[in-house]
Amino acid sequence: MMLIKIIHKHSEWLVFSIGLLLLAIMNPGDAGVSLCLFEWLGIEYCPGEGLGHSISYTFRGDMSAAFEAHLAGPAAVLILILRIVFIWKNMITFKLTDNKEHHG
């Protein structure tokens, strides 16, 4: 039960962090395998097409290539990083508050 609580508590920031890390180290020039559900279903248009490449270019500082790959890439990086920071801030604040209640 305790392990499930720990996994649940840390799953969101871990998934976002690992995803960003993997996209940061990927070669944005590679075509790779598409992870688009729409394409798997035979639909040619994919709204997220190029988002991963855009995020990868963003980490490299190549903003023109990032916006060309997908307009939302740089915003996605910013939003996900802010979300990770927000989660950590809440965990630290809660831990400090929790410790004061138990020790003070």
Side-chain angles (χ1 to χ4, degrees):
M1 229 22 171
M2 185 67 159
L3 181 60
I4 293 172
K5 267 186 162 178
I6 291 170
I7 290 171
H8 184 266
K9 180 178 179 180
H10 297 284
S11 61
E12 184 179 6
W13 74 264
L14 274 171
V15 168
F16 289 158
S17 298
I18 291 168
L20 285 174
L21 177 65
L22 291 174
L23 288 169
I25 64 174
M26 80 173 238
N27 179 355
D30 285 348
V33 176
S34 175
L35 300 176
C36 182
L37 177 65
F38 291 98
E39 287 183 9
W40 292 350
L41 296 173
I43 301 169
E44 288 186 32
Y45 174 73
C46 183
E49 187 75 42
L51 184 58
H53 295 275
S54 180
I55 290 171
S56 186
Y57 284 123
T58 300
F59 277 109
R60 285 167 173 70
D62 190 346
M63 299 310 286
S64 63
F67 284 119
E68 188 177 318
H70 197 290
L71 289 174
V77 170
L78 179 64
I79 290 167
L80 290 173
I81 289 172
L82 288 174
R83 179 64 185 153
I84 293 165
V85 169
F86 179 78
I87 292 167
W88 270 94
K89 180 183 170 281
N90 283 346
M91 285 192 312
I92 291 167
T93 302
F94 178 76
K95 190 169 199 136
L96 290 175
T97 305
D98 192 41
N99 283 340
K100 285 180 186 176
E101 289 174 7
H102 290 324
H103 297 289

